[in-house]
Amino acid sequence: MKSLTRHLTFNLPERMAFENITPQVAKIVSDSGVQEGLCLVNAMHITASVFINDDEPGLHRDYKKWLEELAPFDPSPERYHHNRTGEDNADAHHKRQIMGREVVVAVTKGKLDFGPWEQIFYGEFDGRRAKRVLVKVIGE
Amino acid sequence: MKSLTRHLTFNLPERMAFENITPQVAKIVSDSGVQEGLCLVNAMHITASVFINDDEPGLHRDYKKWLEELAPFDPSPERYHHNRTGEDNADAHHKRQIMGREVVVAVTKGKLDFGPWEQIFYGEFDGRRAKRVLVKVIGE
Amino acid sequence: MKSLTRHLTFNLPERMAFENITPQVAKIVSDSGVQEGLCLVNAMHITASVFINDDEPGLHRDYKKWLEELAPFDPSPERYHHNRTGEDNADAHHKRQIMGREVVVAVTKGKLDFGPWEQIFYGEFDGRRAKRVLVKVIGE
């Protein structure tokens, strides 16, 4: 069994943002030499997500508005008890649960086995600092 | 390491529907010859889900009502910017994030290692056209 | 390829509760002897979750309040058709979809390859009875 582990670092200038990381993940799959296997891609921080959806700016705007409605940013300790710790990012811990921590993608014939529109995104909900994504490929 | 990759195609007549695909996935696990490993099942389209829950029609009705409340169908470009592209399925991209893209199931002694009520569903949120699900089994 | 499968049993006294199961999962990874691979951790019951987030009591209180808003407990058959079956736990099937069924964690150099704050939780939404979590490690 072959395996390859790499970490990617992101430092996005906005509080909430989505970045297409498909090319970086595809490169790691290629570097691994794995022909048939699985590729795990996960946020290593608990106020961020990795998810698969469409690379369409209007949809990303819709997601941000929707996530803000489902779990509004509010630094006060009244709405979120988590913010009694001195943090202001309780909303980000909620948004991340909606969008998910990780994706597992099939590797077939040496490539990410994707449908026509699938793209992998790093989802940031408490940005403006360096945060990491883990990519691990296993197989043969 | 053994592996087997198969694609299933669904063309559901409703906009939103859930179909139990456990028998098809169990057949692929059996065909793979894998005794100990993992089985990935994922939607290849970004307006569909694969998830595990109960095969109970009342619950499925509840899910549809709930998802419609969380992300209502609205083809107009006012509510969803995504629909400015000419699409009308922005709601489906949101519903899919709630229900998830994929499941990873343990394969133990040659079978899906399931709890008493676990069943795998294809979740369609923008149906009436052919869409695919990927099943990949790896292990030994 | 090595593999190890274990089941953990939980019987939490509250209807909704979160329990940190990271030490139990880390022990199973260590027992497996796997140096490079993947670890699947999933709820075997469809009214429970396994998820990764922060071990902070204020955040857990926030999650419970938020999940109760998104999918309120209501045993009556009016709100949830599922409860026409005689069950009272339709809300738990919804809460579980938000928090997720499973996590897949990288195993690197024999350990769970975690970011600084990642901890694995069992999420119970219909407790007061014994329920199981599956842990499967594969790799080399």
Side-chain angles (χ1 to χ4, degrees):
Chain A
M1 204 198 75
K2 286 178 181 175
S3 72
L4 181 63
T5 308
R6 292 264 178 84
H7 300 88
L8 305 171
T9 301
F10 299 95
N11 194 334
L12 302 189
E14 300 92 12
R15 189 169 185 92
M16 179 158 45
F18 306 129
E19 182 153 323
N20 189 335
I21 64 173
T22 315
Q24 292 102 304
V25 176
K27 171 74 163 57
I28 296 168
V29 169
S30 173
D31 289 351
S32 75
V34 168
Q35 293 296 303
E36 299 295 324
L38 297 177
C39 177
L40 168 68
V41 189
N42 70 266
M44 300 187 79
H45 295 256
I46 53 188
T47 51
S49 287
V50 169
F51 66 94
I52 286 176
N53 217 296
D54 199 359
D55 198 355
E56 199 282 295
L59 180 66
H60 294 185
R61 179 176 167 153
D62 295 336
Y63 277 154
K64 288 175 193 170
K65 178 166 164 273
W66 182 62
L67 291 167
E68 201 57 37
E69 287 166 4
L70 289 175
F73 171 67
D74 184 345
S76 80
E78 281 76 36
R79 184 192 296 258
Y80 298 116
H81 274 243
H82 180 57
N83 292 345
R84 296 184 182 188
T85 61
E87 300 264 14
D88 67 359
N89 63 5
D91 67 301
H93 290 275
H94 291 66
K95 287 167 172 133
R96 125 63 172 259
Q97 290 306 119
I98 296 284
M99 298 303 274
R101 168 185 179 262
E102 80 219 6
V103 296
V104 178
V105 184
V107 176
T108 306
K109 297 179 185 167
K111 291 182 192 275
L112 294 165
D113 194 342
F114 266 163
W117 300 101
E118 288 190 283
Q119 296 285 304
I120 308 173
F121 289 89
Y122 173 65
E124 176 61 83
F125 305 114
D126 183 27
R128 294 174 288 195
R129 55 198 172 99
K131 292 162 87 172
R132 290 189 303 156
V133 165
L134 181 153
V135 184
K136 185 154 199 141
V137 190
I138 71 165
E140 266 183 352
Chain B
M1 205 197 76
K2 287 178 181 175
S3 73
L4 181 63
T5 308
R6 292 264 178 84
H7 300 86
L8 305 171
T9 301
F10 300 95
N11 193 334
L12 303 190
E14 301 92 11
R15 190 170 185 89
M16 180 157 47
F18 306 129
E19 182 153 325
N20 189 336
I21 64 173
T22 315
Q24 293 101 305
V25 176
K27 172 72 161 59
I28 296 168
V29 169
S30 173
D31 289 351
S32 74
V34 168
Q35 293 296 303
E36 299 294 324
L38 296 177
C39 177
L40 168 69
V41 189
N42 70 265
M44 301 186 79
H45 295 257
I46 53 189
T47 52
S49 288
V50 169
F51 66 93
I52 286 176
N53 217 296
D54 199 359
D55 197 356
E56 199 283 295
L59 180 64
H60 294 186
R61 180 176 165 152
D62 294 334
Y63 277 155
K64 289 174 192 170
K65 177 166 164 275
W66 182 62
L67 291 166
E68 200 57 37
E69 287 165 4
L70 288 175
F73 172 67
D74 184 346
S76 79
E78 281 76 36
R79 183 192 295 259
Y80 298 116
H81 273 243
H82 179 58
N83 291 345
R84 295 184 182 188
T85 62
E87 301 264 16
D88 66 359
N89 63 5
D91 67 301
H93 290 274
H94 291 66
K95 288 167 172 131
R96 125 64 173 259
Q97 289 306 118
I98 296 284
M99 297 304 274
R101 167 187 179 261
E102 80 219 7
V103 295
V104 178
V105 183
V107 176
T108 306
K109 297 178 185 169
K111 291 184 192 273
L112 294 166
D113 194 343
F114 265 162
W117 299 102
E118 288 190 284
Q119 296 284 305
I120 308 174
F121 289 89
Y122 173 66
E124 177 61 84
F125 306 113
D126 183 26
R128 296 175 285 195
R129 54 197 174 98
K131 292 161 87 171
R132 288 190 305 156
V133 165
L134 181 153
V135 183
K136 185 154 199 140
V137 190
I138 71 165
E140 266 183 353
Chain C
M1 205 197 76
K2 288 179 180 173
S3 73
L4 181 63
T5 307
R6 291 264 179 84
H7 300 87
L8 305 171
T9 301
F10 300 95
N11 193 334
L12 303 190
E14 300 91 13
R15 190 169 185 91
M16 179 158 46
F18 306 130
E19 182 153 325
N20 189 337
I21 64 173
T22 315
Q24 292 101 307
V25 177
K27 171 75 164 57
I28 296 167
V29 169
S30 173
D31 289 351
S32 75
V34 169
Q35 292 296 302
E36 298 296 323
L38 296 177
C39 177
L40 168 68
V41 189
N42 70 265
M44 300 187 78
H45 295 256
I46 53 188
T47 51
S49 288
V50 169
F51 66 94
I52 287 176
N53 217 296
D54 199 358
D55 197 355
E56 199 283 294
L59 180 65
H60 294 185
R61 180 175 166 154
D62 295 335
Y63 277 154
K64 289 174 193 169
K65 178 166 164 272
W66 182 62
L67 291 166
E68 200 57 38
E69 287 165 5
L70 288 174
F73 172 66
D74 184 346
S76 80
E78 280 76 36
R79 183 192 296 258
Y80 298 115
H81 273 244
H82 180 58
N83 292 345
R84 296 185 182 188
T85 61
E87 300 263 16
D88 67 359
N89 63 4
D91 67 300
H93 290 275
H94 291 66
K95 288 167 171 131
R96 124 67 171 257
Q97 290 306 120
I98 296 284
M99 298 304 275
R101 168 186 178 263
E102 81 219 6
V103 296
V104 178
V105 184
V107 176
T108 306
K109 296 178 186 168
K111 292 184 191 269
L112 294 166
D113 194 342
F114 266 162
W117 300 101
E118 289 190 284
Q119 296 285 305
I120 308 173
F121 289 89
Y122 173 65
E124 176 62 84
F125 306 114
D126 183 26
R128 295 176 286 195
R129 54 198 173 98
K131 292 162 88 171
R132 288 189 305 156
V133 165
L134 180 154
V135 184
K136 185 153 198 141
V137 190
I138 72 165
E140 267 183 353

